[in-house]
């Protein structure tokens, strides 16, 4: 491993989809690093490119209708330029992923056990019997009662929470070093959400894997993430430690998110304020700052916001990056004086 | 596009030609006869094509439909009568030779032709000695008598012709040997000895030899008779016997070792076997014939429309065909019971105005349709003489001036309106009716087309005198084929007014001439063949004078000549290839 | 029970329709006599065949024959048509049931061979098409399948025969069927072209079905999961994609196959294969009602059974149905 290189390092990642209407820039120059044992949360509105990013890292994209560039270093190997077979062998093995809706993400015609066995046997040359034993073990470890019996059940015979546990078992069956969870709790009800998060937390500690959690739910981020990446229109607009994001967010969009997103650690009756306007078109991003059409502070940048694309630049917190023309001090002031009080108002 | 299509067709044809040339080459090399027969159109129509005495091989035949019955006692198709002679021998049969002689009768099981006595009421036949059934027992006159008697049981054998029960002087209420067991039938048939059989008729019939030529005279051993099931295994008296027989599917004839050439004056028995497939797709039959994969389309009715164009358009293919005339008339009845056709001049107007070429075209033109007829009797019927009473203009498309004259004489100078009926399922009849509609329309005779279902055409509509009259069916598109080529066989059902039934069911709807009925009776009783034949011609002329039939066309068919076979010729009696003499070249 | 209703309905149709069209016992009987039969003969036959009896009597004796058999007078002897006597043809003087049993293997051979071919062809073309959606291959395949669906067997069959059998001589000419047990080689040779022609027609339809099904399933979440597991693309497509897309296709397949067992009418007709379809056509052209009735019931039986099997099969293939 080259010196100073992180376990996972994403450099200038771009994933574009040429379509009849134009090129969809779903991910447009993304950079981040992640070490084993650490958790990165990726948040952003729907359509901001979160899933495309994670699938890109997994190497799951259609080579015929997508263009991918940049670098993804995993444990010292670059995988964007690696051949497909190499990436396939990593997938499910060194990198694993769990999805939002465990019902539709599992094949309805195969038993849960069969699907876990299959995942194990792609990467391990063992008999079905051995693999099955392993699958039962895994189901037990993710907290499925009577795993030796439930292993032969079909997905539709499981409850939602159990299904997600089974998905997690399937993802962890090969002891992955990087686990990507794309909205792992969104489809579950609140009490189950907490259980699943606890489970992921415990397992991450146990396996010492790097974890990327993609979510709409800042509560999940608060619970699990060490670092947070806020995505908007395919780009990172704020990057910081979880504490900084909650205590000292500097980007107007992040402020908006904090006001609009549900949080498990907050009372549910709390009034949510949606961010005005709608997410940008990924084919034609707005001129200048891509958030400018919806930004309440655009007029304070002296017209820069509408014309010049702001750089992702250092900000107030440690290891804190923000993409906004406003000076750091100004942002900190606005947060402290204008935004935060409103968020905390009864 | 046009050019490309034609090139493609030509290419395919060329290919087919190469293939056929190769096939011919192959057969030439292993046939020592080297007859050098040149395939050309109608090469087998009046003479033997590719003569050879070579034995062996298997002839493959196919039938687009199914036999009515393989039992000689109940079959009523010409092709069947032609074919069954391979396994059954009746008293007489049609002479298996090319040309007009093929229309003549010749003794088969009998030693000679029938001897009439009692003015034609009694007919005696002598049976050859030494003819055996396939099981080795010798055929006697009793077997022939039994065969004829059983064929009269129409409950068991509904498909066969009913001439014997009509002519023979059978006891009242006789129902055949199964139901009328032990009934003495000597009033109808006597067998004074094993070699003699005597038929006793109700009334004199000069043409009884034709009846004796019916396959129903082929002997059946009573001990082996299984009634309606006999057709599954007919006990052979011919050179071939049934090896297998899957009704509705296929059967195979192989050599019958009990057949003795010495007892048989004409059968050559060249091939070792005949394989027959039934219910084969008709278009496929044509293709297989043309490719040489199949030898004979057994029904002999000619190529399907699909292959017709291909064959006619390609000289190489056309050279592989023959075009015999059938004893079948596609005509139109002119009903004198429907006004104004009660006036002979109005009927004549139709004869004059009709476009004969158009009518011929409606049936498929000169090759596949037929020859324009000028009278009822087809030319191959012995005695037929040319009768052409009505001019049809220079180009045969109708003589409008003559028609107008006739209309004036009839008192309808501006024409009139009437109906014309045809069988709805038959596009050719529809076309014929339309052709008449057009040509008669030119002189003011307006026709309205009236299609009727063919199943009930004669019983309910066009053959039902009451219906005809009350619905003004002035013209009835009609057709008739003889059971055998003889004036009686052809004429009796269509010009005898006494066959008209008030309840319907007869093909004759328009010919009600008492004089003709008398002429028929006289001709039927006449035992002198020459006089009898002259009488048919006279009847023909008399019918035409009354203008009650527009004769239309005498049918022809285009049949594909078997490529690999020898001794191919058209039998005039059956208007298809003779099936007795064929060999594998 | 279902078959009972079908049989009664079929029977009534064959009884009623000719009568509604103005037929009488005599006109019905004319179908059993030869040409130029006398009215006496016709009357005799109508009486013998029971055409003067009312419908329930005729149906009753027909049903009774199925269970206890019936006797038929052949003149010289009496033939017993043993139970199950599915009708007795008065034209060929044969019991219908043994003939149906005799014809079934032909249709079965045709149907099975063609089914294997068309499933292979249809599924693979459909799958490839779906995977390479919009590619040249996809468009070519879909054009082909449009042609396949719209060109009648009559046409493709005749062209096939003309080209491959009569011009090139690669395949057997029509009407050369040989039973498998007699000569497997000949059997195969004779059926090859019919299989291909029939399969072409169906594979076109199945290619479209498969394509549509695959386009849908390949977009499912579980496909993404399968990929995320690191499965080979082939396994993703076949074990996960096709497996799911197959269920509705197999349902249709079951019904098509059942229908085909009742007789691949056109194919058997064009190639003169002596199967049930040909049997039906021949029976109809010969106006042989007992045969028509027998073969209709047989076909109905296969469709009903195919339906049943498809229902059962659904439970086997889709666990959600099984354990609901
Ligand atoms: N194959 C593709 N072709 C064209 N556009 C695509 C394709 N895949 C994704 N996109 C587009 O990329 C954008 C980002 O999608 P992505 O699924 O990453 O959003 P997300 O952030 O995960 O949203 P959500 O929160 O709803 O899951 C969307 O606008 C989507 O339409
Ligand atoms: S750059 Fe301007 S428009 Fe963009 S986020 Fe900052 S203040 Fe808003
Ligand atoms: Mg997403």
């Amino acid at each position: 491993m080259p010196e100073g290189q992180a376990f996972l390092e994403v450099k200038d990642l771009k994933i574009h989809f040429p379509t009849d209407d134009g090129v969809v820039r779903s991910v447009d120059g993304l950079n981040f690093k992640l070490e084993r044992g650490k958790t990165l949360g990726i948040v952003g509105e729907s359509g901001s490119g979160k899933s495309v990013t994670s699938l890109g890292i997994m190497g799951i994209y259609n080579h015929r209708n997508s263009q991918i560039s940049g670098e993804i270093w995993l444990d010292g190997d670059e995988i964007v330029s690696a051949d497909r077979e190499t990436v396939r062998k990593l997938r499910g093995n060194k990198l694993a992923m769990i999805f939002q809706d465990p019902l539709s993400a599992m094949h309805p015609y195969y038993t849960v056990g069969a699907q876990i066995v299959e995942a194990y046997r792609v990467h391990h040359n063992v008999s079905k019997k051995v693999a099955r034993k392993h699958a039962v073990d895994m189901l037990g470890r993710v907290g499925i009662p009577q795993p030796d019996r439930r292993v032969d059940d079909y997905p539709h015979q499981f409850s939602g929470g159990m299904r997600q546990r089974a998905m997690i078992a399937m993802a962890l069956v090969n002891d992955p070093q990087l686990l990507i969870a794309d909205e792992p709790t969104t489809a579950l009800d609140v009490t189950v959400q907490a259980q699943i998060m606890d489970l992921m937390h415990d397992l991450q500690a146990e396996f010492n894997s790097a974890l990327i959690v993609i979510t709409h739910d800042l509560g999940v981020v608060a619970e699990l993430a060490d670092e947070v990446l806020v995505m908007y229109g395919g780009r990172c607009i704020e990057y910081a430690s979880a504490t900084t994001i909650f205590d000292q967010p500097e980007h107007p969009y992040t402020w908006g998110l904090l006001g609009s997103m549900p949080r498990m650690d907050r009372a549910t009756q709390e009034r949510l304020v949606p961010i005005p306007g709608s997410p940008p078109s990924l084919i034609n991003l707005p001129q200048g700052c891509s958030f400018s059409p919806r930004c309440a502070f655009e007029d304070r940048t002296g017209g820069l916001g509408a014309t010049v694309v702001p750089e992702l630049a250092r900000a107030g917190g440690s290891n804190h990056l923000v993409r906004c023309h406003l000076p750091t001090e100004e942002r900190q002031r606005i947060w402290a004086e204008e935004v935060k009080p409103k968020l905390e108002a009864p | 596009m046009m050019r490309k299509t034609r090139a493609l067709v030509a290419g395919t044809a060329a290919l087919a030609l190469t293939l056929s040339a190769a096939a011919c080459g192959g057969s030439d090399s292993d046939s020592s006869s080297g007859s050098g027969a040149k395939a050309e159109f109608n090469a087998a129509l009046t003479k033997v094509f590719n003569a050879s005495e070579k034995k062996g091989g298997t002839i493959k035949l196919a039938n687009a439909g199914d036999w009515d019955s393989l039992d000689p006692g109940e079959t009523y198709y010409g092709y069947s009568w032609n074919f069954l002679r391979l396994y059954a021998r009746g008293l007489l049969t049609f002479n298996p030779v090319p040309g007009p002689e093929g229309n003549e009768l010749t003794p088969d099981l009998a030693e000679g032709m029938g001897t009439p006595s009692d003015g034609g009421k009694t007919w005696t036949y002598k049976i050859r000695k030494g003819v055996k059934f396939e099981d080795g027992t010798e055929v006697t006159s009793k077997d022939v008598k039994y065969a004829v008697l059983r064929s009269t049981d129409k409950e068991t054998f509904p498909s066969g012709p009913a001439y014997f029960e009509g002519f023979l002087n059978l006891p009242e209420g006789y129902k055949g040997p199964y139901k009328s067991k032990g009934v003495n039938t000597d009033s109808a048939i006597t067998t004074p000895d094993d070699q003699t059989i005597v038929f006793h008729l109700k009334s004199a019939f000069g043409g009884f030899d034709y009846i004796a030529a019916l396959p129903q005279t082929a002997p059946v051993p009573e001990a082996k008779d299984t009634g309606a099931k006999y057709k599954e295994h007919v006990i052979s008296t011919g050179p071939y016997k049934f090896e297998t027989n899957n009704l509705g599917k296929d059967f195979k004839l192989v050599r019958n070792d009990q057949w003795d050439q010495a007892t048989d004056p004409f059968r050559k028995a060249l091939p070792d076997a005949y394989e027959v497939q039934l219910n084969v797709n008709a278009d496929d039959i044509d293709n297989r014939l043309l490719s040489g994969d199949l030898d004979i389309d057994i029904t002999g009715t000619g190529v399907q429309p699909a292959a017709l164009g291909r064959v006619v358009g390609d000289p190489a293919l056309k050279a592989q065909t023959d075009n015999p005339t059938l004893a079948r008339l596609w005509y139109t009845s002119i009903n004198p019971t429907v006004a104004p056709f009660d006036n002979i001049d109005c009927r004549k107007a139709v004869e004059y105005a009709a476009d004969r070429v158009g009518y011929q075209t409606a049936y498929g033109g000169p090759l596949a349709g037929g020859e324009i007829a000028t009278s009822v009797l087809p030319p191959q019927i012995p005695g037929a003489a040319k009768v052409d009473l009505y001019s049809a203009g220079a180009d045969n498309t109708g003589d409008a001036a003559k028609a107008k004259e006739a209309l004036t004489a009839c008192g309808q100078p501006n024409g009139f309106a009437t109906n014309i009926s045809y069988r709805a399922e038959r596009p050719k009849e529809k076309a014929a009716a339309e052709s008449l509609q057009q040509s008669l329309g030119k002189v003011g005779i307006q026709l309205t087309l009236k299609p009727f279902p063919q199943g009930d055409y004669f019983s309910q509509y066009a053959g039902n005198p009451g219906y005809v009259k009350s619905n003004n069916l002035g013209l009835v598109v009609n057709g008739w084929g003889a059971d055998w080529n003889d004036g009686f066989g052809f004429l009796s059902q269509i010009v005898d007014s006494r066959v008209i039934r008030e309840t319907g069911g007869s093909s004759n709807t328009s010919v009600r001439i008492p004089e003709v009925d008398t002429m028929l009776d006289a001709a039927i009783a006449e035992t002198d063949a020459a006089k009898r034949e002259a009488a048919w011609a006279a009847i023909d002329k008399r019918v035409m004078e009354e203008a009650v039939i527009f004769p239309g066309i005498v049918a022809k068919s285009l049949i594909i000549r078997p490529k690999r076979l020898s001794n191919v010729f058209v039998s005039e009696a059956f208007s298809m290839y003779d099936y007795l003499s064929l060999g594998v070249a | 029970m279902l078959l009972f209703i079908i049989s009664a309905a079929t029977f009534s149709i064959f009884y009623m329709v000719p009568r509604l069209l103005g037929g009488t016992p005599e006109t019905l009987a004319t179908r059993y006599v030869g040409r130029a039969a006398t009215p006496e003969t016709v009357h005799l036959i109508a009486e013998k065949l029971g055409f003067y009896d009312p419908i329930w009597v005729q149906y009753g004796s027909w049903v009774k024959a199925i269970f206890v058999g019936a006797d038929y007078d052949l003149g010289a002897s009496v033939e017993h048509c043993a139970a199950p006597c599915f009708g007795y043809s008065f034209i060929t003087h044969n019991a219908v049931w043994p003939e149906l049993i005799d014809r079934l293997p032909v249709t079965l051979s045709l149907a099975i061979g063609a089914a294997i071919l068309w499933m292979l062809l249809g599924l693979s073309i459909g799958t490839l098409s779906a995977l390479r959606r919009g590619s040249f291959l996809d468009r070519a395949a879909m054009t082909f399948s449009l042609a396949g669906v719209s060109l009648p067997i009559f046409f493709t069959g005749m062209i096939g025969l003309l080209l491959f059998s009569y011009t090139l001589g690669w395949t057997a000419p029509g009407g050369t069927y040989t039973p498998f047990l007699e000569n497997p080689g000949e059997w195969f040779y004779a059926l090859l072209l019919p299989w291909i022609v029939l399969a072409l027609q169906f594979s076109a339809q199945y290619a479209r079905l498969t394509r549509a099904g695959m386009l849908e399933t390949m977009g499912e979440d579980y496909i993404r999961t399968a990929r995320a597991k690191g499965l080979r693309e082939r396994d993703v497509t076949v074990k996960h994609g096709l497996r799911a897309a197959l269920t509705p296709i197999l349902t249709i397949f079951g019904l098509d196959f059942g229908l085909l067992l009742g007789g691949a009418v056109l194919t058997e007709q064009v190639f003169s294969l002596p199967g049930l379809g040909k049997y039906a056509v021949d029976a109809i052209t010969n106006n042989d009602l007992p045969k028509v009735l027998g073969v209709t019931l047989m076909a109905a039986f296969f469709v009903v059974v195919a339906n049943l099997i498809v229902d059962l099969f659904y439970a086997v293939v889709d666990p959600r149905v099984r354990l609901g």
Side-chain angles (χ1 to χ4, degrees), chain A residues 251-253 289-292 295-298 301 305 310 323-326:
Chain A
H251 197 283
Y253 174 65
C289 171
S290 51
F291 187 58
S292 55
C295 185
F297 311 100
E298 197 264 329
T301 57
R323 197 189 282 275
C324 176
H325 289 301
L326 292 173

Side-chain angles (χ1 to χ4, degrees), chain B residues 230 246 535:
Chain B
Y230 185 66
N246 301 305

Side-chain angles (χ1 to χ4, degrees), chain A residues 138-147 150 158 161-163 165-166:
Chain A
M138 281 312 296
L139 286 175
R141 273 166 78 178
V142 297
I144 305 259
Q146 295 179 287
R150 305 305 304 262
F158 274 38
M162 291 222 294
R163 248 177 251 141
R165 283 173 196 268

Side-chain angles (χ1 to χ4, degrees), chain B residues 15 19 76 155-156 158-159 178 227-229 231-232 247 249 277 279-281 283-284 287-288 291 293 456 483, chain C residues 27 32 34-35 48 74-76 79 91-94 102 158 161-162 166-167 173-175 269 272 278 282:
Chain B
L15 225 131
L19 285 167
Y76 211 156
E155 197 181 320
T156 309
S159 305
Y178 310 132
K229 281 242 177 243
K231 64 181 168 191
E232 285 179 15
L247 289 180
K249 258 161 76 177
Q277 278 188 312
N279 291 314
V280 179
N281 180 294
D283 290 319
D284 198 33
N287 284 325
R288 288 166 65 185
S291 76
D293 174 65
D456 300 321
D483 285 354
Chain C
T27 52
Y32 293 90
R35 51 196 202 114
K48 177 178 172 176
L74 298 178
E79 189 179 33
I91 290 179
T92 55
H93 287 282
N94 258 335
D102 181 51
M158 289 310 293
L161 272 175
L162 213 55
Y166 300 122
T167 306
Q269 180 68 14
S272 300
K278 186 88 179 67
D282 296 343

Side-chain angles (χ1 to χ4, degrees), chain B residues 179-198:
Chain B
K179 292 176 195 75
S180 305
K181 259 201 175 68
V183 172
N184 187 315
T185 51
D186 285 351
S187 62
I189 305 174
T190 47
T191 50
D193 60 57
D194 279 358
Q195 250 56 54
T196 311
I197 184 163
V198 186

